[in-house]
Structure formats: structure tokens, C-alpha cells
């Protein structure tokens, strides 16, 4: 229940997972053996069948989303529901929503989200596709002026979509007004052939077998394609019949709500992907045996080895940590929306930095962790039947999409530098950055930890994580101020700024884990187990980044050694409950998709 | 020339690479799109064609090996030449070599190496397959008594091999004499069907598309299969006609020579794989542009970003570091063989620990680095056409085969603990462990570095890497001595021991890089560039493991900050030569197999 969030969530997730697992159409155990073409057909079949079941069983939106989650195969529907519909909802006028959404809801049109170009990813302002208004016909002319302006990557674009929200430079009255969204029909609703002037294609194979190869990531070029003026998404700004560019009275900050929402789902996905990998690795480590005791007795379960524990249990702890910070982000999303409605934009920069940082840190760590889990399964982890190669290949794009992780961390760093200077000017920061207000204490405090067990105290943990994050930020700010200009300093110090940003984000995750454990946690002994995981999460970070803690002077070498000593004890205490802690994820064998992670532990006959 | 080792090496590598690149049979640009069956057929075709060219052109062994390298597709021939033939050479009697090797050389038989079992990888002593001598017929009976005793993983076993060297427990006169090798025929030489009592199969799809799916990793079970007694590999021990088990007078240490040889090739492969990934990432980073200057000018080359440099240049430096330590290992192999012939076994433990450690550290770091290079190419790195997904998938098994990397590091750690106690007893260690003899100085020295440029001095680097490695080992030894027993202490402290082992191995790599630069390096300015890379290699490790250096007290926080400052300056100095430093690898576009890494830089038309 602590994992799922509520009894209701447990029940509905369980019901949808079993519905998918028991339906032969949703089988996926041969997926990695299919050719690209067979795989794409299989995706179409599953999407159609899922839609049929959703309609037949009159599933709620929550149930439908879960069903699609457990089908566990990337496909055009993800973009239709996850990007196309929300873009129209968020950026379309009421009129536009009334016109387009019913068609989308009934799948009369299939939509995708065409932003990224061959030569332009992170730098959205650099997109080259143009939408030039022609007042003589009341139309926009969509055009791809260069090779690098070709739309490249959008999922669902290659084969499935009939429509797209296309981002392009709006040009009217000879002036470039920057990037705006347009609803563009791409294919005929009669025979699905590309419309005149539209060139479409699939961009080819991607990492792994199975994985994202079920998705038709595509390429799109326009040769002077004309669309009616009212297909520009006009909630925030319009072009009039005469060609005048005007802003509406809707504040553009409203878009932030969507961004917080999308990033919250990405953090939730990180905990899902990580927990699947950890579940497989923990279960198989409890089955697999290697090396005997000295006296030639039976071999030892791999999970009993300290080296296995010290690599695996921090990942188990991370899965829970990301889960809880994801739950908190759900709350933040509600909070941000309420404030937006009240036209209070004061917390937006903080919410933006916080979600950007969490997206970056959790997805990077999860990608690495899935691969580490694969290695922790020994040679058999390399077989597709272990499920781990596909899980890795399908997960890693999360480090790049919706904001490259390094670019996002630099945004966090920029926010930190701004906050440092505001604090110096006497302003009191709020939210996840509030600790910086405590600058007098945090700049000179020294940890009072004296025994290994002192590190069990959440306050002791919080203090050193706060001091480390703040001191790293302040160090960067001081070094930047020595540079000829702010921009030059920021650029020169950007590798250090990345580290400061990571320190800040790790603090947020640790803090939210600690706060979660101040709530009631149902189930006997559950809270105690989670407290151990929380300590493991924080202390393994302290050990891994010991250089930060020592060089900023908030921890001594001896205190660092005590933390390490406690970690060893905590691993031993978690060991007896490790399998129960992954069973708590309540994943079906279908969803796990791994012979090594089978619930019944009957691994070797299944492999053979 | 510094990279290749000699002018001759440059010439022959270049000639073979071009021979392969210009031959349409060896095309590989559509490899990731083939179904498993097509891919396997493609492998057979390439192997046959390579053999034909080798015979036609009367290539030397060196040339033939390079040709197979540049074909760049795992297949059964790798095991035939790399494991089956060497096993017979190393463990067969002269008589056995005379009988089997000519057939193997002419490909009249195809061999593989069947050691790993479904339930037994690292723990070779735990293998369950039995070879029971039957004196009534003068035969061994090969048998798979359990499911977990099935041979599982051997390459070439699934489809191609006619013979295998099989490792099994030798049982004679009712006694189990442990694991020995046997030459066993598996398939008919007439119609390639499995012989009676032999069950064979392919173990299924593996990580990635293309990659190791070209290899027929297989499963093998015996049901009381009889082979003549003289097919036991009898160089080291024999079973007589009567069933007596006897040792020969050949010392078993001779086998160490083979082990050093195999690990040396793995380290050389690490530098090859890493340099390919780095070459792709550096070239594409010089082409790819993102974000403009503040004043709306053209976008900046990604390679100019400090964040990109701080992630990429340490990997470039690592490629050179592994290359040079690999060249040194070649020398070590000759040295070990000379000593073995002179029956001097004194340096074997050191050579074993050193090669085990280098195998572990270089392969783990290379696997991570390939994935990092992929991320450094942004979204396009996720496309198979970037070459990086397949390079990663085909490389990662190196972390597991020929000794799991964690198991190997624990062997290094055991050797370090032994050396610490020998040093305490006054013994003078030699070779890569000689520095431990300097214990008085290294336990209490403090780095004298006072300015960032002081870190350019190789002696300053070497001192702190030696002090860190020694102090970590001594700390572990002291903590082990507090445990109830040596074994318990070793097991409890194994996570710390892994870190101490890594510190020791990193010192070896740094030292060999420094020593290489004391030699003559041909080419104007080449040595200066390599010196910068050597500093980057060492200082990025110092920064990454700063916690080690600070907590052992050999470096102060200020000195750590100076090292970091110097790193930033070195990146700026390497930047103008970065592309030249990867062009020096002299890889053909065929071998790189990446549209992003094309020599001509014409990336976007190629992608499109």
C-alpha cells in the first residue's frame, strides 16, 4: 500500500495487470524475435485490441491508462494520448478543443507531436520549419526550408498518424514571431496516403531488439503545404484575418502546469522501470548460487554476498525513493495548478527547477541501475529472456527526451545561482530551496555524528545533505564572480555546476523520503523496513559522493567511515526481507517479462 | 604510430581494414535489420568468404587475425581459433596436437569451448558434467546428470561446431578428480546431425539487434556419450589404461601463460571498443551544433561546451591509457613465458593479480563509456545507424566472460591483503606491487602540490595514487584483522576491498601511461598532446574518487580543487586537437559503422 499509494490504487492496478496478463493477444515473450515489420504489426494489433477492451469493458480513464501501461509496448497511442491530445487541451482555444478533441477521443484521427528536427533537439528556439501566413487565402504555408529542418523522431509519425501538432516558426507580415504549434493533417482519412507536399518515412531501427522498435518514429518534410488559419493553436496568441500577431489575455505561465505534469509522470516511470529491474535481480539473486562454503557444502545464494548486497540494495532503496518523490510531485502538480488559477506565479521558478532536476537525476540513475541489475544477474542477464536488455533499451531514451538531462541540470544550476544571490540580498527562499535561507548555520556547521548509529537519525542526514548542497552552490557562485563576465564564468564552471545541481536534487529526494516516513505507513513492520531503505539511500550517496562531503568540510573522514560501517549493518538487516520488498511491487510475471525474475523461482527449467 | 605501436602495425592494419571495407560481402550497414536466421546465414557467408580470401591471398597469421577483426561480426570462427585450438595447444600432449590441430587448421573440423553450465559460471570447480572412465571399454562416459549441468553459452555450439573441448568432472576408480578437458565430437562430419546421446540447441536472442545475435551460443546435454580414453587432454595429467589417475611432470603453472595471453587481448579489445565509441562521439560533437551565442549568431559546436568536454575528453584519455597498458601487457606476456620456461614461478601471483585487475577495470569502464558516448551524441545516438547501440550490446559481455569483473577484483584484493602482510614481515614486493615496499613514506606523505600546474608533474600524480592505493589496502587489512576470522573479515569488508583493488589497478594504468611517455614518441607535438591526455586521465580519476584521496589524507581539499581547475585548462588545450587525436586511430568508415562518425562529416544527408 505504501508503494501503490492507496488501497484503491493497489486494487485497480492489480485488476488491470491481471486482465492484460491473462489475454493471449497481449503476449510479449516472443517480441524480441520479431522482425521490425512483424513487430510493428503486433503493436497495431495490441493497440486495436486494447481499445476494443477499453470500450467493451467501459473502463475509466484511470483504468484505461493502467491497461495501456501493462500492455508494455511503445506505440503510436502513447503519443496520441500523451502528447497530441494534451497539446490541443493546453494550447487550443475552447473552439479548437470542441472541434478536434471529440475526433481524437473516438480515434477518428490519430495524432502525434512533431517538434524535434534532424538538426535541432534541445534548442527548441532553433527549429527551422516555417509557417508563413498568406493573407490572400487566409492560410499558413508549412515548409521545410533545409535538410536539417526535417521533423525527425516524433513517435507515431512514421506510419500511424493522420494528424500532427507541428511546431514551426510563425512568420506574418514579414516578421518571425518564433515557435508556435499548428494542427496539420498529414495523411488521407480515406486511404492513409500522405497528402500532397507531405513527405513521410520511418527513421529506422533503434537500440535493442523489441524495445522502441515497436514505435514508428518518423521523418516529415513539408513542401509548401497549406493549412487553414484556424489550425494554429491559438489559446495564447493569434494571427488575425489581416495577419496581425496578437497575444490573448491567457498568461503563458499556464503551460508550466503541463510541464510539471509530464515530468511528474517521467519520475513515476523511473521508479517503475527501476523497480522492475530490481525485482528481477533480487529474485534471481535469491535463487542463483555460486561457490561453496570452505568445507565443500552447498553453494551460497548470491544474495548473501556483501558485494552483491552493496550493489543491489542501494538500487532497491532508490526504487522506493523515486516512488515517494514521484508521489510528492503529484501533490506539487495540484499545488502549482491551484496557484496558477489564483494567478500566483511566485513558486513557478522553484517548481520548474525542482521538476527539471528530479527528471534528470532519476532517469540517469535509473538507466545506469537497469544495466547494473543486468550485470548482477551474471551471464544470463545478457539473454533477452531475462527481460533486462529490452528494459534497458526501452528505458534509456528517457535521459534525452523531454529535456536532455545535462541541459536540465544546467537550468537547475542557473536557478541555484540566482537563489544564492537572492539569499545574499536577504530574500527568504521557499519550497525545496527553503534550506538555503538557513545559510548562516549551514555554511559553518559540522556534523555531530560520533557513532555509526548516529547516522540513523534523519536530522543528522538532512543537515549534511543541506550543508553539502549549499556549500557547493556557494563555491560555484564565488568562482563565477571571479570571471570576466557572469556568462563566461557560468560556462567555464559548468562541470562544477552540474555537480552542485545533482547535490541539490539528491537532497530533495532524501528529504521527501524522510518526510514520507513521518506519515502513517500501514502494515506491521513496514515503516521499519522503509526506514532502513531510507538510511541506505542517503548513506550510499554519502559514500559515493564522499569527496563532496569531505571537501566542503561538513563531514570528517572518520564520520564517513562510520557511515560506511552502518551501511554494511543495514544491508545485513535488509537481506531477510529483500524478496518481500520486491514482491510488494505486485508485478505479474507478464509485466516483468523475465524468466530470471519469475515469482515461483523456477528459473532453470524456464530458461531451458 | 604511438597508437598502433609501430610503422609495420600501422601498415598492415590499414591494409587489412581497407581490404575488408572494399569487399561488398563484408558490408554490415543493414546488419541490425536482419532476422536472427538471416543474420546467422550472413555470419556463415562472411566466415566462409574470409577463409577464402585468407587462403587466396596467402595471408600471414597476423594478417588473417586482423582481417577477421575488421569483419567485425562475432561468429563461431572466433571460438574455433580463439579457444578450441589454443586449448588443444595448451593442454594436449604432442601426440594429441599432431592428431587434432591439422584438421582444425584446415577447417575439416569446427571446434568450440564448452565450459560454462546453466547453473555454473564463475565457479568452475562447481561444474556438474561428468566424465566417468569405463576400463572395460577404455572409454570415458560423458554425462549431464542434472538440468543445471547442461552446457550453456558456448559460442559456436548451437549450430556450427562439430567438436568441442568439454570440461567435466573426471571420475575413475570411483573417485572424483575434479575438472578436466576432453575433446568430444558432437555432430556427424557427413550430415552435421547431432551424434546419438547428444542434445544440442541455440539458447535464444541476446542483447541488442545485430550484436552477438550473429553468434550461435548454444546448449549441450550428454546422455552417456562414450569417447575414447585418448580424447582426454593429457598434457598435465592422464588416466592410464587401467584407470589410474597420474600427474605428468609438466607443471600446471604453464597454463598461466595462456591466461595472461587471453586477458591481454581483452584489454587490447577494450581500448579498441572504447576508441571506436570516442571517435564517433568526438567527430559528431564537432559537427553538431546547439544553441546560439547570446546575440543570435550561429549555433555553437557541441564540442565547445565545457560539459561536453568534461564528459568526453576523459574517455578519449582512457582510450589511450588502455591502449598503452595493453601494449605493456604484451611485454608482460613474453616476460611471463620466459620465466615459465626457466621454471621461475615467483612472479606468477603478481602477474595474475595484475592481469585480472586490468581485465576488470578496463572492461567495466569501457562498457560504461560506450553508453556515455551514445548519450553524448544526443537523441541520434539511439538510432542503430549511429553504430553505438550495437557497439554497446556487443561489448558488454566482456564484463562477465573470462572472469566476472567483481570476482576478479576480489582476487586482486586477496593478493593485496597477502602483500600487505608480507610487507609487514619485511618482504620486498616486485613488479606492479613494488610501490608497497615504500610503505614508511607512503603511509604518512602529504602531497606538496601548491598550484594547479604542480599537478602536471608525473611524480606528484604517482605519489598520491600510490599513497591512496596503499592506504586503502592497509585500512582493509587492519579492519579484517579485527574480525573473528580472516575469512569472515574478508567477506564482511568485500565492498571496501573492491574499492581498494580498483585504486591499485588505476595506479597501474596511470603508471604505465607515465612510463610510456618517458619513451621516444614519433611525430611533432604528439608527445605533448599525450602528456595532456595522461594528466587528464589521472586527474579525472582523482576528481571522481576524491573521497578516497581526502579520507586517506594524501590530498587536501584545496589540492583537490587545484586538480579540478587544471582539468578545465587541459580540456581547453585538448579541444583544438581532439579530432586529430581520434583520426589517429585510423578507422575506416566501414569499421566504425556509424553515420554520425563519418570521416567526411557529412552526417545529416547520410542520416536522411
Amino acid at each position: 500500500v505504501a508503494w501503490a499509494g492507496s488501497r484503491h490504487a493497489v486494487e485497480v492496478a492489480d485488476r488491470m495487470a491481471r486482465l492484460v496478463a491473462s489475454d493471449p493477444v497481449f503476449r510479449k515473450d516472443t517480441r524480441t524475435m520479431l522482425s521490425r515489420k512483424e513487430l510493428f504489426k503486433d503493436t497495431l494489433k495490441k493497440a486495436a485490441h486494447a481499445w476494443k477492451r477499453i470500450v467493451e469493458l467501459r473502463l475509466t480513464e484511470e483504468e484505461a491508462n493502467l491497461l495501456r501501461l501493462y500492455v508494455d509496448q511503445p506505440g503510436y497511442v502513447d503519443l496520441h494520448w500523451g502528447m497530441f491530445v494534451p497539446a490541443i487541451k493546453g494550447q487550443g482555444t475552447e473552439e479548437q478543443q470542441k472541434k478536434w478533441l471529440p475526433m481524437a477521443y473516438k480515434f477518428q484521427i490519430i495524432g502525434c507531436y512533431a517538434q524535434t528536427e534532424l538538426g535541432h533537439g534541445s534548442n527548441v528556439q532553433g527549429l527551422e520549419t516555417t509557417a508563413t501566413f498568406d493573407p490572400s487565402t487566409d492560410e499558413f504555408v508549412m515548409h521545410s526550408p533545409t535538410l536539417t529542418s526535417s521533423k525527425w523522431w516524433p513517435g507515431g509519425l512514421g506510419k500511424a498518424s493522420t494528424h500532427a501538432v507541428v511546431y514551426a516558426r510563425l512568420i506574418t507580415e514579414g516578421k518571425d514571431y518564433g515557435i508556435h504549434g499548428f494542427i496539420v493533417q498529414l495523411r488521407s482519412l480515406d486511404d492513409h496516403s500522405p497528402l500532397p507536399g507531405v513527405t513521410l518515412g520511418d527513421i529506422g531501427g533503434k537500440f535493442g531488439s523489441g524495445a522502441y522498435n515497436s514505435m514508428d518514429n518518423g521523418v516529415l518534410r513539408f513542401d509548401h503545404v497549406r493549412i487553414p488559419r484556424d489550425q494554429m493553436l491559438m489559446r495564447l496568441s493569434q494571427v488575425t484575418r489581416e495577419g496581425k500577431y496578437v497575444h490573448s489575455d491567457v498568461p503563458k505561465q499556464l503551460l508550466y502546469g503541463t510541464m510539471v505534469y509530464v515530468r511528474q509522470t517521467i519520475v513515476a516511470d523511473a521508479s517503475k522501470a527501476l523497480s522492475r529491474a530490481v525485482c528481477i535481480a533480487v529474485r534471481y539473486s535469491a535463487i542463483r548460487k555460486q561457490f561453496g562454503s570452505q568445507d565443500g557444502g552447498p553453494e551460497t545464494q548470491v544474495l548473501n554476498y556483501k558485494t552483491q548486497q552493496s550493489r543491489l540494495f542501494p538500487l532497491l532503496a532508490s526504487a522506493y525513493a523515486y516512488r515517494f518523490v514521484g508521489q510528492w510531485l503529484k501533490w506539487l502538480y495540484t499545488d502549482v495548478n491551484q496557484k496558477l488559477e489564483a494567478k500566483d506565479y511566485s513558486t513557478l521558478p522553484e517548481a520548474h527547477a525542482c521538476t527539471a532536476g528530479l527528471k534528470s537525476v532519476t532517469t540517469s540513475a535509473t538507466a545506469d541501475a537497469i544495466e547494473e541489475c543486468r550485470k548482477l544477474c551474471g551471464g544470463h542477464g545478457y539473454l533477452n529472456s531475462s527481460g533486462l536488455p529490452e528494459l534497458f533499451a526501452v528505458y534509456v531514451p528517457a535521459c534525452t527526451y523531454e529535456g536532455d538531462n545535462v541541459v536540465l541540470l544546467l537550468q537547475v544550476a542557473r536557478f541555484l545561482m540566482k537563489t544564492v544571490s537572492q539569499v545574499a540580498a536577504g530574500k527568504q527562499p521557499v519550497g525545496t530551496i527553503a534550506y538555503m535561507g538557513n545559510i548562516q548555520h549551514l555554511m559553518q556547521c559540522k556534523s555531530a555524528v560520533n557513532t555509526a548509529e548516529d547516522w540513523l537519525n534523519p536530522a543528522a542526514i538532512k543537515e549534511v545533505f543541506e550543508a553539502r548542497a549549499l556549500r557547493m552552490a556557494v563555491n560555484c557562485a564565488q568562482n563565477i564572480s571571479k570571471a570576466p563576465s557572469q556568462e563566461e564564468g557560468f560556462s567555464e564552471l559548468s562541470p562544477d555546476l552540474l555537480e552542485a545541481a545533482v547535490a541539490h536534487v539528491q537532497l530533495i529526494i532524501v528529504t521527501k523520503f524522510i518526510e514520507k516516513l513521518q506519515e502513517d505507513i500501514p502494515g506491521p513492520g513496514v515503516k521499519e523496513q522503509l526506514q532502513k531503505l531510507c538510511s541506505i539511500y542517503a548513506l550510499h550517496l554519502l559514500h559515493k559522493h564522499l569527496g563532496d562531503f569531505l571537501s566542503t568540510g561538513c563531514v570528517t573522514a572518520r564520520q564517513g567511515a562510520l557511515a560506511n560501517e552502518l551501511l554494511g549493518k543495514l544491508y545485513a538487516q535488509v537481506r531477510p526481507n529483500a524478496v518481500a520488498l520486491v514482491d510488494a511491487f505486485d508485478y505479474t510475471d507478464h509485466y516483468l517479462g523475465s524468466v530470471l525474475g519469475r515469482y515461483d523461482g523456477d528459473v532453470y527449467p524456464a530458461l531451458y
Side-chain angles (χ1 to χ4, degrees), chain A:
Chain A
V1 173
W3 176 263
S6 70
R7 293 219 174 272
H8 165 75
V10 174
E11 184 278 322
V12 60
D14 198 64
R15 193 154 41 81
M16 289 303 117
R18 275 161 224 285
L19 184 66
V20 172
S22 63
D23 192 327
V25 177
F26 294 131
R27 273 189 64 169
K28 57 177 188 178
D29 50 347
T30 58
R31 182 167 61 193
T32 55
M33 299 170 205
L34 301 180
S35 73
R36 185 79 207 286
K37 206 168 174 176
E38 290 166 337
L39 182 59
F40 184 67
K41 279 188 191 161
D42 182 64
T43 307
L44 293 179
K45 195 177 71 180
K46 284 176 178 166
H49 188 65
W51 183 242
K52 188 167 153 253
R53 298 299 287 157
I54 289 167
V55 173
E56 279 173 358
L57 299 170
R58 298 168 185 270
L59 299 186
T60 65
E61 200 182 322
E62 181 193 21
E63 290 169 333
N65 285 336
L66 281 165
L67 182 133
R68 280 191 284 263
L69 167 76
Y70 289 118
V71 170
D72 188 38
Q73 189 155 311
Y76 68 91
V77 280
D78 306 344
L79 286 304
H80 179 81
W81 292 113
M83 301 293 282
F84 181 71
V85 167
I88 296 175
K89 272 190 185 172
Q91 297 161 51
T93 61
E94 250 175 70
E95 219 172 316
Q96 290 176 317
Q97 297 189 29
K98 263 188 206 149
K99 175 176 174 187
W100 294 98
L101 291 180
M103 292 191 280
Y105 286 143
K106 283 180 245 162
F107 261 130
Q108 291 164 337
I109 60 173
I110 299 173
C112 68
Y113 187 88
Q115 177 177 305
T116 302
E117 296 177 354
L118 186 52
H120 309 273
S122 297
N123 184 11
V124 177
Q125 297 314 316
L127 295 176
E128 295 177 85
T129 302
T130 51
T132 310
F133 184 63
D134 178 357
S136 71
T137 59
D138 198 20
E139 290 173 319
F140 285 106
V141 182
M142 309 297 295
H143 189 58
S144 312
T146 60
L147 179 64
T148 47
S149 74
S150 310
K151 293 294 171 188
W152 190 270
W153 274 116
L157 176 62
K159 302 282 175 197
S161 292
T162 62
H163 289 67
V165 169
V166 175
Y167 288 86
R169 315 194 77 79
L170 190 165
I171 298 168
T172 183
E173 298 186 319
K175 200 178 153 198
D176 181 340
Y177 286 93
I179 305 304
H180 291 74
F182 302 83
I183 303 176
V184 185
Q185 182 173 352
L186 306 174
R187 290 183 170 95
S188 156
L189 293 179
D190 299 324
D191 65 2
H192 208 67
S193 63
L195 295 186
V198 174
T199 307
L200 290 162
D202 184 288
I203 61 168
K206 285 145 287 183
F207 203 152
S209 35
Y212 254 98
N213 290 298
S214 57
M215 178 72 88
D216 53 329
N217 298 87
V219 51
L220 159 67
R221 288 183 59 78
F222 293 114
D223 181 8
H224 300 93
V225 172
R226 288 175 170 265
I227 59 167
R229 181 172 55 92
D230 67 3
Q231 287 179 212
M232 170 185 173
L233 290 171
M234 298 223 197
R235 188 171 179 203
L236 298 182
S237 50
Q238 292 99 37
V239 169
T240 66
R241 178 63 191 87
E242 294 73 37
K244 288 260 169 296
Y245 179 84
V246 287
H247 283 289
S248 74
D249 54 359
V250 178
K252 68 170 200 261
Q253 284 88 343
L254 274 191
L255 296 182
Y256 276 86
T258 315
M259 204 194 55
V260 172
Y261 176 77
V262 171
R263 290 188 182 154
Q264 171 250 308
T265 61
I266 293 180
V267 172
D269 289 347
S271 78
K272 252 173 234 137
L274 177 52
S275 57
R276 285 168 80 176
V278 165
C279 181
I280 295 167
V282 166
R283 285 185 182 166
Y284 181 50
S285 297
I287 300 296
R288 183 176 163 220
K289 296 176 181 179
Q290 288 280 324
F291 294 104
S293 52
Q294 296 286 29
D295 51 10
E299 293 185 296
T300 307
Q301 283 168 296
V302 170
L303 194 53
N304 291 338
Y305 286 104
K306 281 282 164 198
T307 48
Q308 191 84 356
Q309 294 174 4
S310 70
R311 293 162 71 199
L312 188 47
F313 291 168
L315 305 182
L316 173 61
S318 301
Y320 276 94
Y322 299 168
R323 181 75 186 183
F324 295 145
V325 82
Q327 290 174 356
W328 172 76
L329 275 180
K330 259 193 190 167
W331 168 84
L332 183 73
Y333 171 60
T334 336
D335 185 61
V336 163
N337 268 353
Q338 279 171 0
K339 290 200 171 116
L340 284 175
E341 274 168 34
K343 299 209 168 25
D344 169 7
Y345 308 131
S346 62
T347 60
L348 279 181
E350 190 261 326
H352 174 262
C354 159
T355 54
L358 286 170
K359 186 272 178 185
S360 175
V361 168
T362 59
T363 56
S364 287
T366 296
D368 292 348
I370 296 171
E371 172 62 5
E372 181 76 356
C373 285
R374 193 189 64 71
K375 288 188 184 136
L376 285 163
C377 290
H380 298 343
Y382 190 65
L383 284 171
N384 283 335
S385 51
S386 78
L388 291 163
E390 203 184 5
L391 192 56
F392 180 76
V394 86
Y395 188 74
V396 285
C399 299
T400 313
Y401 62 55
E402 288 298 317
D404 174 87
N405 281 353
V406 171
V407 174
L408 289 180
L409 282 180
L410 287 174
Q411 293 175 2
V412 175
R414 225 171 255 283
F415 172 70
L416 291 177
M417 293 306 98
K418 212 171 151 184
T419 307
V420 167
S421 74
Q422 287 173 340
V423 167
K427 203 180 151 193
Q428 187 60 33
V430 294
T432 53
I433 202 87
Y435 71 98
M436 286 203 170
N438 194 13
I439 189 163
Q440 253 82 27
H441 173 68
L442 290 176
M443 283 306 287
Q444 40 84 19
C445 65
K446 288 182 190 305
S447 172
V449 162
N450 194 31
T451 67
E453 277 67 26
D454 286 349
W455 279 120
L456 291 173
N457 178 5
I461 296 275
K462 226 175 134 183
E463 183 187 48
V464 297
F465 272 81
E466 287 181 350
R468 164 208 182 208
L470 179 65
R471 292 178 197 189
M472 288 173 77
V474 169
N475 277 349
C476 285
Q478 287 171 345
N479 286 330
I480 288 176
S481 68
K482 293 178 200 154
S485 80
Q486 178 79 6
E487 265 323 294
E488 242 173 277
F490 193 88
S491 153
E492 278 304 307
L493 282 158
S494 50
D496 298 347
L497 285 160
L498 289 183
E499 294 177 6
V502 168
H504 169 67
V505 178
Q506 288 175 343
L507 164 67
I508 298 177
I509 304 174
V510 166
T511 306
K512 295 305 159 191
F513 205 152
I514 292 173
E515 287 176 6
K516 173 80 184 181
L517 297 180
Q518 285 156 358
E519 299 171 16
D520 272 344
I521 310 274
V526 174
K527 188 180 245 187
E528 287 67 33
Q529 285 303 313
L530 292 178
Q531 278 164 337
K532 292 187 205 311
L533 290 183
C534 182
S535 298
I536 288 176
Y537 180 71
L539 294 176
H540 102 277
L541 287 178
L542 191 150
H543 182 67
K544 188 175 163 195
H545 299 276
L546 189 57
D548 291 354
F549 289 91
L550 293 177
S551 63
T552 52
C554 38
V555 165
T556 65
R558 185 174 161 271
Q559 289 168 332
L562 291 174
N564 204 31
E565 189 189 321
L566 180 60
L567 264 178
K569 291 182 191 169
L570 288 167
Y571 294 150
Q573 292 167 22
V574 165
R575 165 66 190 93
N577 300 294
V579 173
L581 282 164
V582 301
D583 287 350
F585 303 149
D586 194 26
Y587 292 145
T588 59
D589 281 344
H590 173 275
Y591 186 56
L592 272 189
S594 167
V595 295
L596 303 184
R598 289 166 64 95
Y599 183 71
D600 65 10
D602 222 2
V603 166
Y604 293 116
L607 255 183
Y608 188 77

